[in-house]
Structure formats: C-alpha cells, structure tokens
Amino acid sequence: MSDTQATAAPAKKKGGMMKWLMIGTGLVVLIGGGVGGGLYAANSGLLGGGGAQGESADADTPRLVPKSEEARASAGKEGEAGSENKGKPTPKGEGGDKYASTYYQMEKEFTSNLRESVHFVQVGIAVSTPYDNRVVENLKTHELAVRSAILLALGETNEDDVFTADGKTRLQKRLAAAINGVLKEKEGFGGIANVYFTNFIVQ
C-alpha cells in the first residue's frame, strides 16, 4: 500500500507541472499573437494608424487652411481684425479662394537702385499664404535673408517694370519667387502665394 502511494504522488506532481507549463505556453502564444496582430493592423491602417503615420511624417510641413477654419485675423495684427469679426457670420458667395489667406506686412520698406537707370524704387511689401502660421514664422525667422533676396530682385528690375501695371505684376511674381527660394533653402518649404505692394515710390 505504501509503495503504490509513493509512486502515485510523483506522477500527480508531474501531471500538475505539465498542466501549468501548457497554460504558460498558451498565454505566451496568445499575447504574442495579439501584439503581432495589433502591429499589423496599425501598419495597414485598420486602426487609423496609417493616416496618423502619414500625418506625423509631414508634421513639420505647413498645412493648407480651409476657409472654414480661418481665424480672420492677419498674423501681423492679431486681435484687431479678429475682435471686429468675432461673432459675425462669414459671408458666403460664389467663387473666391478655397483656402484662407494669412497676411503679413514686412516692417521696413525696401529701397533699391533700378538696373541701368538713374532712378531708384522704394516699396513696402506684404505677403499672403494659404498655409498655417508656420510659413509666417519661417519668414520672421529668416527675415534678414529674405530682405537680402528682395533687394537683389529689386536691383535687377528695369524701369519698364516700375512704370507699368504689367511690369509691377511681373515684379510681384519675381519677389514671391525670391522669398520662396529663401524659405525653401532654409526650411525646405516656401508657401508664399502672393506679394503685395503697400507703398510704391519711384524717384
């Protein structure tokens, strides 16, 4: 009787250990499968992870601001225009730009000689962008380089470009290209859509 009890006890112990070993292995397989499945779903976009990854890859790139999100305040004069329009409905009409415009006026005017001319030009410049405030912030950060590029572009301007409306329009496009060139070089992104003259004197 004592011999059978002695052999039965180790057999019972061995069976119990195998049971816990099987449960442990099953848990590891389940957890591993769950983690693997979750990673697959996130990478394939099933959990919305695909879109989030695409956005985080372009997180440093300014985004276009639809008119529905427009703050209605220019970057240079925050609070003034915004307080005027606060609570007023945005007028809806046919046509117009799809994206909101943010305006920024450069503080100092630009004075430059004209190419092969005794005249010089003095202009005040403002810019607009359909992108978020990062474009204006980039412009402020690199204002010295931007001012230099604008002066170089003005110095290459003929008299014909300052005495006619068509010439001034061509000059606006050249100045926008010069500003975007600096911003692309420094930040990898331009974003300036238009240049506007707030002052224009030829002497």
Side-chain angles (χ1 to χ4, degrees):
M1 198 66 130
S2 64
D3 287 342
T4 42
Q5 281 179 351
T7 52
K12 212 173 192 184
K13 252 188 192 175
K14 192 174 177 185
M17 215 155 87
M18 280 301 279
K19 180 179 164 186
W20 284 111
L21 190 61
M22 292 295 282
I23 289 173
T25 304
L27 283 173
V28 169
V29 168
L30 279 174
I31 291 170
V35 169
L39 290 173
Y40 172 78
N43 285 334
S44 65
L46 295 174
L47 298 177
Q53 279 187 344
E55 286 173 17
S56 66
D58 293 335
D60 291 337
T61 304
R63 69 175 185 87
L64 289 164
V65 179
K67 279 198 171 175
S68 58
E69 297 177 22
E70 184 179 16
R72 293 280 178 195
S74 64
K77 297 181 179 177
E78 288 176 16
E80 292 176 19
S83 59
E84 272 176 29
N85 294 323
K86 204 171 185 179
K88 293 183 183 177
T90 303
K92 305 267 185 207
E94 295 295 319
D97 291 334
K98 183 178 176 183
Y99 297 103
S101 291
T102 300
Y103 297 93
Y104 174 72
Q105 181 170 351
M106 301 192 77
E107 288 183 18
K108 297 176 185 172
E109 294 182 335
F110 297 83
T111 305
S112 173
N113 293 326
L114 296 172
R115 189 171 73 179
E116 298 175 358
S117 172
V118 295
H119 297 288
F120 69 87
V121 64
Q122 183 179 61
V123 295
I125 290 177
V127 299
S128 72
T129 177
Y131 293 91
D132 61 33
N133 274 343
R134 281 178 288 183
V135 171
V136 173
E137 292 306 314
N138 290 344
L139 182 62
K140 290 177 182 177
T141 300
H142 304 291
E143 189 162 352
L144 287 177
V146 168
R147 290 188 69 84
S148 177
I150 289 171
L151 287 170
L152 288 172
L154 287 172
E156 289 297 310
T157 304
N158 295 317
E159 283 185 15
D160 297 343
D161 287 339
V162 296
F163 288 117
T164 65
D166 286 343
K168 288 175 184 174
T169 301
R170 286 193 300 272
L171 179 56
Q172 284 176 309
K173 289 178 181 173
R174 284 195 7 254
L175 292 175
I179 295 169
N180 280 326
V182 171
L183 295 180
K184 283 176 187 171
E185 179 190 332
K186 302 291 185 185
E187 296 289 341
F189 190 88
I192 299 300
N194 293 303
V195 167
Y196 300 96
F197 297 122
T198 58
N199 186 31
F200 202 106
I201 298 170
V202 182
Q203 288 186 340

